[in-house]
Amino acid sequence: MPRTPRIEPDGEVVARLAVTALALPEAYEEDAWTGVRWRIRAKTFAHVMVAQAGYESSFRDITGIADPTTVLTFRAGGDELLALVHAGMPFYKPPWSPTIVGMVLDGDTDWAEVAELVTESYRFCAPQRLVQQLDD
């Protein structure tokens, strides 16, 4: 059975995310199995993709939205994780990791909030030395 051709996220969305992600100490960008991800060492702290049939199907299973949708996944913990998981759309909780949260990126996206969430995700993944560098 042939795979569904993947749809890549809009270049403008990737560029907006890259501004925040690449400003973080030692962060780098790479193509992922679908979409683009930002990493610190070997840990992904942000990943943007288009959820569609065959790619990030948990989004469709959880939200019921079948149309291709641009989503960002990132890491969170503690109270922030609980708040985001229970906030409802644009957030959702993929089942494949206890620390991953997904967020729909669309015309209503608050990009200042996205920058904060990406930065906090980096803090969650980065070694303490780099987090300290960020705080200085």
Side-chain angles (χ1 to χ4, degrees):
M1 182 157 140
R3 287 195 89 168
T4 303
R6 70 185 200 180
I7 302 170
E8 291 300 321
D10 182 85
E12 204 171 294
V13 170
V14 173
R16 285 186 99 156
L17 290 164
V19 167
T20 298
L22 296 177
L24 301 167
E26 296 183 23
Y28 63 97
E29 177 180 303
E30 67 182 19
D31 286 337
W33 54 274
T34 185
V36 177
R37 66 184 173 192
W38 291 271
R39 305 185 93 192
I40 178 60
R41 310 254 167 103
K43 294 182 180 177
T44 299
F45 65 90
H47 182 184
V48 65
M49 72 194 93
V50 176
Q52 66 184 67
Y55 297 97
E56 186 29 358
S57 59
S58 67
F59 172 79
R60 183 183 64 247
D61 296 344
I62 293 164
T63 65
I65 299 171
D67 295 335
T69 305
T70 302
V71 297
L72 170 68
T73 58
F74 56 91
R75 296 187 184 272
D79 291 342
E80 180 181 46
L81 175 65
L82 289 173
L84 293 170
V85 166
H86 291 95
M89 290 302 274
F91 301 101
Y92 71 101
K93 179 70 184 86
W96 36 265
S97 171
T99 62
I100 296 285
V101 177
M103 177 183 190
V104 172
L105 300 179
D106 60 18
D108 295 328
T109 297
D110 178 344
W111 288 98
E113 179 181 37
V114 169
E116 288 175 28
L117 293 169
V118 167
T119 301
E120 288 307 309
S121 181
Y122 171 89
R123 287 177 185 280
F124 187 87
C125 295
Q128 285 304 306
R129 178 183 66 80
L130 296 178
V131 172
Q132 184 62 44
Q133 211 176 346
L134 186 62
D135 291 339
D136 289 343

